[in-house]
Amino acid sequence: MDTIKIKIERAAAFKPKPDPATLKFGTAFTDHMFLMNYETGKGWYDPRIVPYGPITLMPSAMVFHYAQEVFEGLKAYRRADGEVQLFRPWDNIRRMNQSCERLCIPPLDEDLVLTAIKTLVREDKSWVPTAPQTSLYIRPFVIATDPAVGVHASHTYMFCIITCPVGSYYAQGINPVRIYVEDEDVRAVRGGMGFAKTGGNYAASLRAGERAEQSGYSQVLWLDGVHRKYIEEVGSMNVLFKIKDEVVTPPLGGSILDGVTRRSCLDLLRFWGQPVSERLITVDELFDAAEKGDLEEAWGSGTAAVISPIGEMSWKDRTVTVHGGTIGPLTQRLYDTLTGIQWGTAKDSFGWTVQV
Ligand SMILES: *Cc1c(COP(=O)(O)O)cnc(C)c1O
């Protein structure tokens, strides 16, 4: 629905564009951003595109104190014909509203959000990089802005979309990561906010991430918060394992994020006739399978990396290697197919892409 009126105030001068080859993820933002406000009784109002720049909030703004906020992450991809497309944006927009519901944030009009994303990306289209495997990362988010430190849901909000060009995630080639099973901290519990994309879950995950990095690992394998034995996610990605002939991934039980990349992996695997199972898997079962040689492949899935193969896992005094520390054939096929659809070099038989 392009009938929604979005006011556009163009930047007076355009910034120089960074070289995607040396660009650090998420550090350089485009010329414009999208803003919209909410007030109880008035609803969402004043959708607008303005020059990218600072926003002003009271120090008492609720988001600073009680973390009432949600966000999303998706990408715009430059096709060989020069056009730009999005990958399953409706899934992100619907998920953002599910996150909003959990955090008592009023829902957004889904057509309006897609129109806002498309309009903003069109406005800054020259920022969508053209080098292979590069993209424009899109970060929509909502923050609670009431200037009051009483604990309740805010009556005012700001919805914002910012975008930044990102380089190839695998500029040095796909190197499988070493991960470590975290059995002290947990990121989420059922009944908490694990299924919502909200900053609080990330704040809870930082300490384990830092510890993992200090010990030479790149990600944390999260266990469930109650029994401390079921696998949940890896870092801020979903996780999938190929154990003998079956691909296994933890079920969406409330503490796990319903990843668009996870869902796309499952859709493709089922389409290929690969047996898949969304079921509980204990860390014991996983390491036993690996030690017996039954764990053939393991990978994380998320928008930033698409697919991140796991080469080594450590838990207590046990360390196992997966597929000899190299990417497995099914992992590679998923990566090639997904990235092919995203950059428009492979046929999109599922209707996942949306042209900007
Ligand atoms: C965003 C996110 C993912 C991946 O979701 P995608 O939609 O595939 O990008 C997985 N886990 C967590 C905790 C996340 O925040």
Side-chain angles (χ1 to χ4, degrees):
M1 267 215 295
D2 279 19
T3 52
I4 297 157
K5 263 252 142 322
I6 296 175
K7 225 171 38 207
I8 299 179
E9 180 201 332
R10 297 223 160 84
F14 297 138
K15 293 180 278 195
K17 307 214 171 29
D19 176 3
T22 53
L23 184 58
K24 191 169 178 293
F25 179 88
T27 55
F29 294 87
T30 62
D31 289 316
H32 299 94
M33 61 184 180
F34 175 88
L35 292 177
M36 180 163 71
N37 297 85
Y38 178 92
E39 221 179 278
T40 300
K42 193 166 170 181
W44 287 104
Y45 66 94
D46 200 11
R48 58 201 188 274
I49 286 172
V50 297
Y52 179 86
I55 52 175
T56 305
L57 293 172
M58 286 298 182
S60 53
M62 291 199 59
V63 63
F64 295 138
H65 307 275
Y66 308 125
Q68 195 191 6
E69 74 96 34
V70 300
F71 69 95
E72 267 304 325
L74 69 163
K75 284 172 169 176
Y77 306 84
R78 177 80 67 176
R79 298 194 313 228
D81 67 0
E83 287 308 317
V84 171
Q85 63 187 21
L86 305 168
F87 181 73
R88 306 188 82 168
W90 288 114
D91 295 45
N92 292 92
I93 295 168
R94 268 183 230 122
R95 184 172 69 192
M96 188 162 65
N97 269 343
Q98 285 160 7
S99 300
C100 282
E101 200 280 329
R102 178 64 184 83
L103 279 111
C104 298
I105 296 172
L108 290 134
D109 180 299
E110 295 179 357
D111 288 317
L112 186 146
V113 176
L114 186 63
T115 302
I117 291 172
K118 282 180 166 182
T119 311
L120 181 64
V121 172
R122 259 184 240 141
E123 202 57 40
D124 283 339
K125 194 172 166 190
S126 62
W127 283 87
V128 184
T130 51
Q133 309 289 305
T134 60
S135 55
L136 185 76
Y137 186 76
I138 304 166
R139 167 56 55 88
F141 61 100
V142 185
I143 53 173
T145 54
D146 268 10
V149 294
V151 179
H152 60 78
S154 186
H155 300 291
T156 59
Y157 298 87
M158 176 179 274
F159 172 56
C160 184
I161 309 173
I162 55 176
T163 64
C164 53
V166 293
S168 167
Y169 196 89
Y170 292 115
Q172 266 75 52
I174 303 188
N175 285 317
V177 295
R178 298 176 66 219
I179 62 171
Y180 130 120
V181 178
E182 172 63 41
D183 47 18
E184 195 176 320
D185 290 357
V186 298
R187 64 170 284 281
V189 291
R190 194 193 294 207
M193 312 188 292
F195 68 91
K197 219 168 170 73
T198 182
N201 292 331
Y202 278 72
S205 78
L206 292 176
R207 186 170 70 175
E210 295 278 302
R211 278 200 296 245
E213 238 168 74
Q214 276 158 18
S215 333
Y217 296 91
S218 49
Q219 302 279 357
V220 170
L221 192 65
W222 295 106
L223 299 181
D224 78 282
V226 177
H227 309 280
R228 308 292 188 104
K229 65 177 189 184
Y230 298 109
I231 307 287
E232 298 229 308
E233 299 200 46
V234 56
S236 50
M237 290 184 285
N238 294 113
V239 68
L240 300 91
F241 305 102
K242 183 165 187 283
I243 300 176
K244 292 214 268 198
D245 291 329
E246 190 180 46
V247 171
V248 180
T249 192
L252 305 172
S255 56
I256 292 174
L257 199 96
D258 182 1
V260 178
T261 321
R262 171 189 183 276
R263 184 182 308 168
S264 304
C265 285
L266 296 178
D267 289 345
L268 281 172
L269 292 166
R270 290 186 176 121
F271 179 70
W272 294 337
Q274 165 68 49
V276 298
S277 166
E278 294 173 69
R279 65 165 172 88
L280 294 175
I281 170 168
T282 66
V283 60
D284 259 313
E285 178 192 347
L286 183 67
F287 274 72
D288 287 349
E291 282 160 7
K292 272 198 294 182
D294 290 346
L295 178 63
E296 296 178 0
E297 303 184 37
W299 66 94
S301 73
T303 295
V306 190
I307 297 288
S308 177
I310 296 168
E312 190 187 301
M313 303 189 297
S314 291
W315 176 43
K316 299 191 162 79
D317 55 356
R318 296 162 84 174
T319 294
V320 294
T321 306
V322 188
H323 204 270
T326 66
I327 184 169
L330 192 61
T331 314
Q332 183 77 54
R333 187 178 178 200
L334 278 172
Y335 178 79
D336 292 343
T337 309
L338 281 170
T339 55
I341 295 171
Q342 289 166 338
W343 274 280
T345 57
K347 189 165 170 279
D348 173 18
S349 358
F350 299 90
W352 283 342
T353 55
V354 171
Q355 196 173 326
V356 159

